[in-house]
Amino acid sequence: MPIRIQNDLPAKGILENENIFVMDERRASMQEIRPLQVCILNLMPVKQDTELQILRAFSNTPLQVDVTFLTVKSHESINTSANHLNAFYQTMDDVKDRTFDGMIITGAPVEHLAFEEVDYWQELCEIMDWTKEHVTSTLHICWGSQAALYHHYGLPKQELSEKLFGVYAHRVSNRKVPLVRGFDDIFYAPHSRHTETPADQIKACKKLKVLADSDEAGVFLAISRDGRQIFVQGHPEYDRQTLHNEYVRDMNRGLQIHVPFNYYPENDCTRRPMLQWRSHCNTLYSNWLNYYVYQNTPYLLNEIGFKTMQECTIPEDDME
C-alpha cells in the first residue's frame, strides 16, 4: 500500500529502507483517486516510534492512505521535540471542521492516574465525541481503548496485581465478524500495561462484542455493534525490540519488573526476542482499513455520520 505522509517525516527513510512503498506529497498530488483520510491521535511519549510502528502496520494493504498526525494541546510533550510536533502534528483546532475515513487513538503512559486526573482528559473526551460524527471508524489502542470504553460505555478500568508484560496467546471467539478474517484460532500479541477493563464488564455490555481474549491477558479485541468503535487492549503494532527497550528502561530505573513473558528464547534477555505477532498485526490493520473504513466510508467525506455500516454491522443474535 502506498502510505502518503509529509515529505520530511523521519519515518519515511526508515520505511523506504524496509522496501515499504511510501508516497510523498508531491507524487500523491498526481494521483487521480481519492485516498483514505486517516487521523492518528498519538498520545505515546516517543511519538516517532509509534509513527513508525503504525505506518508499518498500514503497509500490507493496496489502499492508498493519507495520514494526519494529531496531538493534544493541553499537554506538553517532554519526550518529543517541539520542532517535530510543529512540523508534523496538528491539534483539534486545525481539524475540527474536517471529516476522516478512519482514526486511531493510541495508548498513553498514564495508567497510574484516574481518567479524570489526566491533564488532557477533557480534551480527549471532546475528541472522542467528535469522532462520532466526523470519523467512519475509530480504532483505540491499549490505554486509549480503556479510556474510550470508560467514556462511551461507562466501563471503569482496574489495577492489575502486577504489570501485564509480554507476548500472550489469544483465541478468536467470533469468526463471523470481518475484523478477524484470516486469523488463526490461536494468535499472539504483546501487552504492556498495569490496568485493564475487566473481561466480565466488557462481555456484559450489550453494545459490545468480544472478538478475541486470553486466559492470562483478558479481552484483547472488542467492537461496537455498528463497527464504528474498535478496542484493542494490547499493542499488536509493537516492533520486535519494543518490549526489550521497555524492560531495559524499567530495570535502569530500579523498578520491579519481570522478564517479558514468552518473549526471549529461554527467558534470556541477552538473546534476540522472538517476533510472533507481526502477521496477525498486519491482518488486523488490513481488515480494519478494508472492511470498516474503505468498504463503508462515503466517497464524499462530508457525508460521514449519515451512512450506516452494512457488512460490518453485527446482528443482534450474534451479540449474545
Side-chain angles (χ1 to χ4, degrees):
M1 175 198 74
I3 306 168
R4 179 183 174 183
I5 55 180
Q6 291 159 285
N7 299 335
D8 300 322
L9 187 74
K12 180 174 181 285
I14 299 173
L15 294 169
E16 289 175 333
N17 288 335
E18 296 176 7
N19 293 318
I20 293 175
F21 181 20
V22 179
M23 181 181 296
D24 64 24
E25 294 169 308
R26 290 181 295 270
R27 182 167 180 179
S29 66
M30 302 170 63
Q31 298 284 312
E32 293 294 336
I33 62 175
R34 185 181 81 71
L36 296 176
Q37 300 292 328
V38 175
C39 182
I40 300 174
L41 175 59
N42 189 354
L43 301 173
M44 294 294 279
V46 185
K47 301 194 185 305
Q48 295 95 322
D49 290 350
T50 303
E51 294 162 9
L52 188 58
Q53 291 165 6
I54 294 177
L55 292 176
R56 276 200 189 106
F58 279 3
S59 68
N60 287 275
T61 169
L63 303 169
Q64 182 177 321
V65 178
D66 284 5
V67 175
T68 297
F69 288 107
L70 195 68
T71 188
V72 289
K73 62 182 180 181
S74 47
H75 176 79
E76 182 177 352
S77 177
I78 61 175
N79 294 289
T80 301
S81 71
N83 288 339
H84 186 85
L85 292 173
N86 291 336
F88 303 113
Y89 279 75
Q90 300 183 50
T91 67
M92 180 51 57
D93 289 341
D94 301 312
V95 304
K96 63 183 179 181
D97 295 325
R98 293 181 57 186
T99 48
F100 290 89
D101 301 299
M103 184 167 184
I104 294 175
I105 299 178
T106 74
V110 291
E111 296 172 282
H112 60 289
L113 298 174
F115 290 122
E116 292 82 1
E117 294 176 356
V118 175
D119 57 2
Y120 53 82
W121 176 247
Q122 185 57 45
E123 183 178 1
L124 179 58
C125 289
E126 292 171 1
I127 293 172
M128 290 189 289
D129 287 337
W130 172 86
T131 65
K132 294 178 181 180
E133 294 297 328
H134 292 261
V135 181
T136 297
S137 181
T138 303
L139 188 149
H140 310 79
I141 301 172
C142 201
W143 181 86
S145 74
Q146 295 176 19
L149 288 168
Y150 177 68
H151 177 66
H152 293 305
Y153 302 101
L155 305 184
K157 63 182 174 74
Q158 69 178 24
E159 293 281 340
L160 298 172
S161 58
E162 64 175 353
K163 185 177 183 179
L164 186 72
F165 190 46
V167 181
Y168 296 87
H170 307 78
R171 57 186 168 268
V172 174
S173 56
N174 191 314
R175 290 200 166 276
K176 296 181 181 180
V177 182
L179 191 61
V180 291
R181 284 182 182 168
F183 274 48
D184 295 329
D185 288 341
I186 301 295
F187 66 95
Y188 293 87
H191 291 260
S192 178
R193 50 188 168 86
H194 295 275
T195 59
E196 69 173 356
T197 304
D200 58 348
Q201 294 187 23
I202 299 175
K203 293 177 179 179
C205 181
K206 298 299 184 181
K207 297 180 179 180
L208 298 171
K209 178 67 179 179
V210 173
L211 303 183
D213 60 1
S214 164
D215 291 337
E216 299 84 8
V219 170
F220 172 71
L221 186 61
I223 189 171
S224 63
R225 185 177 181 273
D226 62 3
R228 296 191 66 176
Q229 295 174 340
I230 292 167
F231 309 92
V232 182
Q233 202 169 213
H235 283 288
E237 78 284 355
Y238 268 11
D239 294 334
R240 182 193 299 271
Q241 294 293 124
T242 307
L243 291 177
H244 172 78
N245 294 339
E246 292 184 3
Y247 178 61
V248 171
R249 177 202 65 195
D250 289 352
M251 289 287 289
N252 290 338
R253 291 176 177 174
L255 301 177
Q256 288 190 340
I257 184 68
H258 60 77
V259 173
F261 175 76
N262 192 31
Y263 181 58
Y264 299 113
E266 299 179 352
N267 279 341
D268 183 352
C269 66
T270 66
R271 298 178 64 181
R272 191 178 191 225
M274 296 180 291
L275 183 59
Q276 307 174 77
W277 61 90
R278 177 63 57 80
S279 62
H280 281 87
C281 169
N282 292 340
T283 301
L284 173 63
Y285 278 89
S286 295
N287 285 350
W288 175 62
L289 283 174
N290 182 21
Y291 297 116
Y292 295 84
V293 181
Y294 175 70
Q295 299 289 348
N296 285 285
T297 196
Y299 186 82
L300 298 177
L301 271 171
N302 60 3
E303 294 180 359
I304 286 178
F306 299 95
K307 186 178 187 296
T308 57
M309 290 197 168
Q310 300 299 323
E311 182 181 9
C312 298
T313 299
I314 303 175
E316 291 286 354
D317 56 351
D318 283 336
M319 293 294 290
E320 300 302 326

